Amino acid sequence: MLRIQQEVTSSAASDEVVPLKQIPVDAQLLSFVADALITQIFQNDESVPVEAVYWFPVEENAAIYGFAARIDDEHEIVA
């Protein structure tokens, strides 16, 4: 989920989100483990840029071993 970051005076989170357009998934089962590459494509339909916070829920026994974010194919964040 990509939630739009807004300056709010209360602690309530914004309900506005950037629309998720596609979720291609490539997964392999390796014995008792699944290795999945999940690509989430969001599109800002607003006429102005927005500041957003990315949130991805993960199961308690899951592990993330790589993360990359691309913005307009110009900026890339890798962790």
Side-chain angles (χ1 to χ4, degrees):
M1 176 184 300
L2 195 56
R3 186 177 305 276
I4 296 176
Q5 181 69 33
Q6 296 179 345
E7 292 185 26
V8 271
T9 55
S10 69
S11 60
S14 169
D15 289 335
E16 295 184 64
V17 295
V18 177
L20 180 59
K21 299 296 183 178
Q22 293 179 14
I23 311 174
V25 177
D26 181 20
Q28 295 180 350
L29 293 177
L30 308 167
S31 189
F32 295 101
V33 177
D35 185 16
L37 172 63
I38 302 169
T39 303
Q40 296 179 325
I41 300 171
F42 296 90
Q43 180 176 332
N44 178 14
D45 292 331
E46 300 294 322
S47 59
V48 296
V50 296
E51 182 176 342
V53 175
Y54 179 74
W55 179 70
F56 185 75
V58 178
E59 292 291 325
E60 184 176 308
N61 293 329
I64 296 176
Y65 63 87
F67 174 85
R70 270 187 233 108
I71 302 168
D72 293 331
D73 290 328
E74 295 177 14
H75 305 3
E76 186 166 1
I77 302 167
V78 178

